[in-house]
Amino acid sequence: MFRLNQAKTPLFDALLEYSYNNTIPYHVPGHKRGQGMDEEFRNFVGYNVLSIDVTVFDQVDSLHKPTGVIKEAQELAADAYGADATLFCIHGTSGAIQAMIMSAVGEGDKIIVPRNIHKSVTAGIILSGAIPVYVQPAIDKNIGVAMGVTPEAVKEALEENPDAKAVLIINPTYYGVASDIKSIARIVHSYDIPLLVDEAHGPHLRFNDRLPISALEAGADIVAQSTHKILGAMTQASMLHIKGDRISINRAKNVMSMLQTTSPSYILLASLDVARRQMALHGKELLDNAIDVAEYARKRINEIDGFYCFGRDIIGQPGVYDFDPTKVTITARNLGITGYELETILAEKYFIQPELADMYNTLCVMTLGDDYKKVDKLIEALKEISNEYYLKYIGISNVLDIPEIPEMVLTPREAYNSATIAMSLEDSVGQISAEFIYAYPPGIPVLYPGERITREIVEYVEKMKDASLHVQGPEDQDVNYIKVVRNLEALTITA
């Protein structure tokens, strides 16, 4: 399966050698292997991790122009994932996504994207100057969750925009839903343009055949993955994979170099090195256990009154070609409580912290670090919550319809860079937004810069706030005011 020796960890080994040699550091960072660190912090994290917190020098290579151990570590990652080239990213998959977009499109280029993109995609669009063409994913109105985009929707968007320069999709979604990515890749490539994939939640797909197909295996040209989200890397540690000749590897390297810090964390880089080794050597059995634990949780949750946890039963619905069972979405509507309320109860009463909550659901992510004992604690907590709320059920309103995609008057870049004025959200209907509005997590906007604000969007935002969701985006942290474009008549969209 692999060409290279996947047991190797060249970067981590170089850092260990540096540490074990007790090298005297006359370089940054200033804590000097922990000796200059705050005592309480140092005692908690330990000297070992601080001893490999180093800067750029020959022994440990340079992320911006790798010629040694980082170069070798990235080549091993490319081999493990089936890429032609892999680039390490230590500013999260948000940064990798921005680099991916900027490697594929530029000023005035159209890029077809799902409406449920993460805010980092729009950030990449703003930075590149591209024009987004939105495709609405299928919506499951029972649970209020966006599914994937269908091949038919992508085909229609390309037929209406044959001058598009790229297509970006999500595989899988935050909730584990995978689109028919093979079919989408064939359609996109028939226009001889690249398929970009936000695979933040799919770095594990390559290593177990009980999971949906990975984007690279399905034919994607460039893929951004959150190694830290599911696998054993540290937070912010991600990878960008490139395959084929539709994306210039050198262009991607240059963009990544422009976006990433010149003082990267070698701790994060080393965690990518060892996470890749772990998957290459032991991925199948580790993921088998994670899947089994997740399916056990799903089965037990569905036996509790008032809860629903979807799984492979949704495959075949519009936008659902496959499903990642490690995502455990707990729907609590039949208890008369919101997903946010469920998350709050779990966190504050039972010290169980889910990944996110939306209006109707709470998401728990099962990974290599979970086991049956921990799941049983979740199950017992959910049983107690059911006993408290099920018989008191007073009903919760029907799932809110996600607002229609509003008119895009300006490109996100034009709106973001425009002169603006703040006004109350209530009075902003008809104005052109210069800001995002989204619930975080998951960070999927309901309003993008450049779009005309509608009454439907304002009412939807107010309902999200009433449900105590973490609505963010505007400079006004309470989201009572929003910045809108001033002097609109001087601007026109480039189409």
Side-chain angles (χ1 to χ4, degrees):
M1 180 180 180
F2 305 120
R3 295 181 299 103
L4 305 179
N5 180 4
Q6 290 293 330
K8 297 177 67 176
T9 52
L11 176 55
F12 183 49
D13 289 348
L15 291 166
L16 289 179
E17 181 182 9
Y18 169 89
S19 178
Y20 293 153
N21 285 342
N22 291 318
T23 303
I24 298 173
Y26 285 107
H27 58 72
V28 298
H31 63 71
K32 301 295 178 74
R33 298 173 60 113
Q35 284 185 285
M37 181 68 72
D38 174 83
E39 184 178 5
E40 183 181 7
F41 183 85
R42 182 184 64 223
N43 289 342
F44 182 78
V45 302
Y47 274 104
N48 280 350
V49 69
L50 297 175
S51 74
I52 62 171
D53 185 21
V54 300
T55 189
V56 178
F57 46 83
D58 286 347
Q59 183 180 355
V60 295
D61 206 2
S62 167
L63 180 61
H64 286 261
K65 193 174 182 180
T67 58
V69 292
I70 291 179
K71 179 176 183 288
E72 185 180 358
Q74 291 184 150
E75 288 170 348
L76 283 162
D79 180 50
Y81 279 91
D84 292 337
T86 292
L87 307 177
F88 286 176
C89 183
I90 44 74
H91 62 315
T93 309
S94 293
I97 285 171
Q98 291 162 15
M100 174 170 69
I101 293 168
M102 294 172 70
S103 299
V105 292
E107 187 84 33
D109 290 340
K110 288 183 181 179
I111 179 171
I112 294 170
V113 296
R115 183 64 185 183
N116 60 326
I117 49 175
H118 188 267
K119 65 174 183 173
S120 62
V121 175
T122 305
I125 290 171
I126 290 172
L127 289 170
S128 68
I131 303 171
V133 176
Y134 296 112
V135 176
Q136 189 69 276
I139 305 293
D140 186 322
K141 292 196 173 184
N142 180 45
I143 55 177
V145 167
M147 303 284 109
V149 296
T150 64
E152 293 76 17
V154 172
K155 183 178 180 182
E156 182 180 352
L158 282 167
E159 287 173 349
E160 294 176 356
N161 299 273
D163 55 341
K165 300 299 184 184
V167 174
L168 183 148
I169 66 167
I170 305 163
N171 182 71
T173 69
Y174 220 135
Y175 299 90
V177 174
S179 300
D180 183 359
I181 190 169
K182 269 191 173 181
S183 296
I184 291 172
R186 283 194 296 268
I187 293 167
V188 172
H189 291 160
S190 72
Y191 285 78
D192 196 26
I193 58 175
L195 176 62
L196 289 57
V197 180
D198 170 0
E199 201 165 52
H201 297 276
H204 56 314
L205 301 183
R206 163 83 166 170
F207 302 101
N208 194 293
D209 58 12
R210 295 167 66 188
L211 298 169
I213 190 171
S214 71
L216 284 180
E217 292 175 291
D221 299 280
I222 184 167
V223 178
Q225 291 179 338
S226 292
T227 318
H228 68 93
K229 277 188 167 66
I230 310 298
L231 305 184
M234 296 184 74
T235 296
Q236 290 183 220
S238 302
M239 296 187 192
L240 183 64
H241 305 291
I242 305 154
K243 189 171 186 177
D245 58 6
R246 292 185 179 87
I247 296 291
S248 165
I249 293 173
N250 286 333
R251 166 72 175 174
K253 287 180 178 178
N254 288 336
V255 174
M256 284 281 275
S257 183
M258 181 174 65
L259 294 177
Q260 298 212 83
T261 176
T262 55
S263 301
S265 166
Y266 280 81
I267 299 169
L268 302 187
L269 292 171
S271 77
L272 286 170
D273 200 17
V274 297
R276 179 271 313 156
R277 176 181 65 180
Q278 184 184 40
M279 279 297 97
L281 299 184
H282 309 294
K284 184 184 184 305
E285 56 264 39
L286 289 170
L287 288 167
D288 272 338
N289 182 70
I291 293 167
D292 290 343
V293 168
E295 292 291 28
Y296 167 76
R298 182 171 288 104
K299 179 178 183 296
R300 294 293 306 277
I301 291 167
N302 279 324
E303 293 170 350
I304 303 172
D305 289 336
F307 287 113
Y308 167 60
C309 184
F310 69 79
R312 295 186 63 83
D313 54 295
I314 67 170
I315 293 177
Q317 292 184 20
V320 187
Y321 184 78
D322 207 343
F323 176 69
D324 174 7
T326 66
K327 308 301 189 298
V328 177
T329 302
I330 307 168
T331 304
R333 287 182 64 213
N334 289 333
L335 293 180
I337 59 176
T338 67
Y340 177 79
E341 289 170 325
L342 175 59
E343 179 193 37
T344 300
I345 295 167
L346 286 171
E348 295 183 356
K349 183 176 180 180
Y350 298 97
F351 302 102
I352 295 172
Q353 182 58 61
E355 167 66 11
L356 69 81
D358 60 32
M359 191 80 80
Y360 312 101
N361 311 284
T362 297
L363 173 66
C364 293
V365 177
M366 302 292 173
T367 73
L368 316 179
D370 288 297
D371 56 39
Y372 292 97
K373 185 177 180 181
K374 286 191 284 188
V375 167
D376 282 340
K377 290 184 178 180
L378 171 64
I379 299 304
E380 291 307 310
L382 293 175
K383 285 180 178 178
E384 289 186 16
I385 294 169
S386 171
N387 290 338
E388 182 174 353
Y389 286 92
Y390 188 61
L391 296 179
K392 300 176 184 177
Y393 174 62
I394 57 174
I396 191 169
S397 61
N398 292 331
V399 169
L400 291 174
D401 286 333
I402 295 175
E404 291 292 323
I405 298 175
E407 175 190 8
M408 184 172 66
V409 182
L410 302 174
T411 68
R413 183 185 181 92
E414 287 172 331
Y416 188 81
N417 290 328
S418 295
T420 63
I421 185 171
M423 64 169 49
S424 72
L425 186 64
E426 178 66 26
D427 294 334
S428 69
V429 174
Q431 300 294 320
I432 308 306
S433 176
E435 298 184 293
F436 300 92
I437 294 183
Y438 52 88
Y440 194 86
I444 295 169
V446 294
L447 183 67
Y448 294 80
E451 293 182 335
R452 193 179 298 281
I453 302 167
T454 64
R455 170 59 56 189
E456 186 183 17
I457 288 172
V458 171
E459 292 175 352
Y460 186 84
V461 170
E462 292 298 338
K463 288 174 181 176
M464 287 198 298
K465 290 165 61 179
D466 289 343
S468 298
L469 296 179
H470 298 291
V471 183
Q472 300 179 24
E475 288 184 8
D476 173 29
Q477 295 187 2
D478 295 324
V479 197
N480 293 321
Y481 291 85
I482 186 170
K483 283 188 173 180
V484 300
V485 173
R486 189 169 55 186
N487 300 328
L488 179 60
E489 64 275 4
L491 297 165
T492 57
I493 189 170
T494 306

